[in-house]
Amino acid sequence: MKQSIAALLLIPSLAAADGHLSTSLPSLSDVNGVASNDVLNIRAGQHQTTEIVGTLAHDAENVEVVSLSDDGRWALVNNAESAGWVRTKFLKQALAADWYDFETPTSCVGTEPFWFFGLNADATVASFESIDVPAIGYDVDWTSGLVARPFREIGMGGGTSNDGFSALIEEAQCSDGMSDRAFGLRIRLFVHSAEGTAGYDGCCSIQP
């Protein structure tokens, strides 16, 4: 088991939460238990009286959960270019795997300059492009967790020091600086070329 019984005992409130969602975030969930003629409200805060900032369809799938409230009854989710809170009792875990298993593609973005980094499912192929760099593809040669935190930070790389990349993706609350979306993953990316190495700091999503 990737999480020990001792760790679970430290968060007893989650066992009584409305939904039984993974505490390894981000994760993907489907809307569940909402009537077909209704929607799931996304709210600005963790209370049913707070402002509604968006909605999810009764059959919405692959909703990205990036954070949970302390009592586990509310989930912070993304919808278009914004984020808000929904009740976890209306969410059902869609993907059993954790984010670091890379069973779905991962998309990372950053600014100054604007750039994009992507990983396919299984994290075997990476791509990078920015405003001043055309799209480049790489085979991922290696991935590794840290000895002390094997499931919270994942390093990876591919290519050479003249034509390659290295990166560290970690669980962390992150803002892309362009939208009101929330992200549960942060990336530190280094792109290597004959001209030298350029470093980038950005956020990642596992939402398809």
Side-chain angles (χ1 to χ4, degrees):
M1 294 178 63
K2 293 177 180 176
Q3 292 178 324
S4 67
I5 294 175
L8 290 176
L9 291 175
L10 294 176
I11 49 172
S13 61
L14 290 181
D18 289 339
H20 300 281
L21 304 182
S22 171
T23 55
S24 176
L25 300 172
S27 63
L28 297 177
S29 290
D30 298 336
V31 174
N32 182 62
V34 176
S36 60
N37 62 346
D38 203 354
V39 295
L40 178 59
N41 290 326
I42 304 173
R43 296 186 178 274
Q46 302 169 20
H47 196 278
Q48 61 186 9
T49 62
T50 56
E51 178 188 2
I52 296 173
V53 294
T55 60
L56 292 171
H58 72 94
D59 57 354
E61 298 180 335
N62 292 321
V63 177
E64 186 172 29
V65 176
V66 297
S67 184
L68 293 172
S69 62
D70 290 341
D71 62 8
R73 297 183 184 276
W74 293 87
L76 181 64
V77 303
N78 282 310
N79 182 39
E81 294 302 305
S82 63
W85 297 87
V86 301
R87 286 292 296 271
T88 55
K89 71 177 181 179
F90 295 114
L91 296 177
K92 180 180 179 181
Q93 195 81 25
L95 181 68
D98 293 308
W99 70 267
Y100 44 79
D101 292 320
F102 296 106
E103 288 197 8
T104 63
T106 302
S107 301
C108 307
V109 295
T111 57
E112 298 180 3
F114 177 80
W115 56 271
F116 169 84
F117 177 81
L119 291 167
N120 70 336
D122 298 328
T124 57
V125 176
S127 61
F128 173 79
E129 62 182 298
S130 74
I131 262 180
D132 51 0
V133 178
I136 308 169
Y138 306 99
D139 290 330
V140 178
D141 296 332
W142 61 272
T143 62
S144 174
L146 299 184
V147 172
R149 302 179 66 196
F151 306 123
R152 293 294 179 262
E153 299 178 337
I154 301 294
M156 63 181 60
T160 69
S161 59
N162 288 327
D163 181 19
F165 82 97
S166 52
L168 178 68
I169 301 177
E170 62 181 336
E171 289 187 17
Q173 295 299 297
C174 189
S175 171
D176 61 6
M178 300 179 295
S179 69
D180 293 325
R181 294 181 69 197
F183 294 84
L185 296 174
R186 180 187 181 189
I187 184 172
R188 267 74 64 81
L189 171 68
F190 299 90
V191 177
H192 315 300
S193 69
E195 288 74 34
T197 296
Y200 302 87
D201 188 1
C203 307
C204 301
S205 168
I206 62 169
Q207 190 165 30

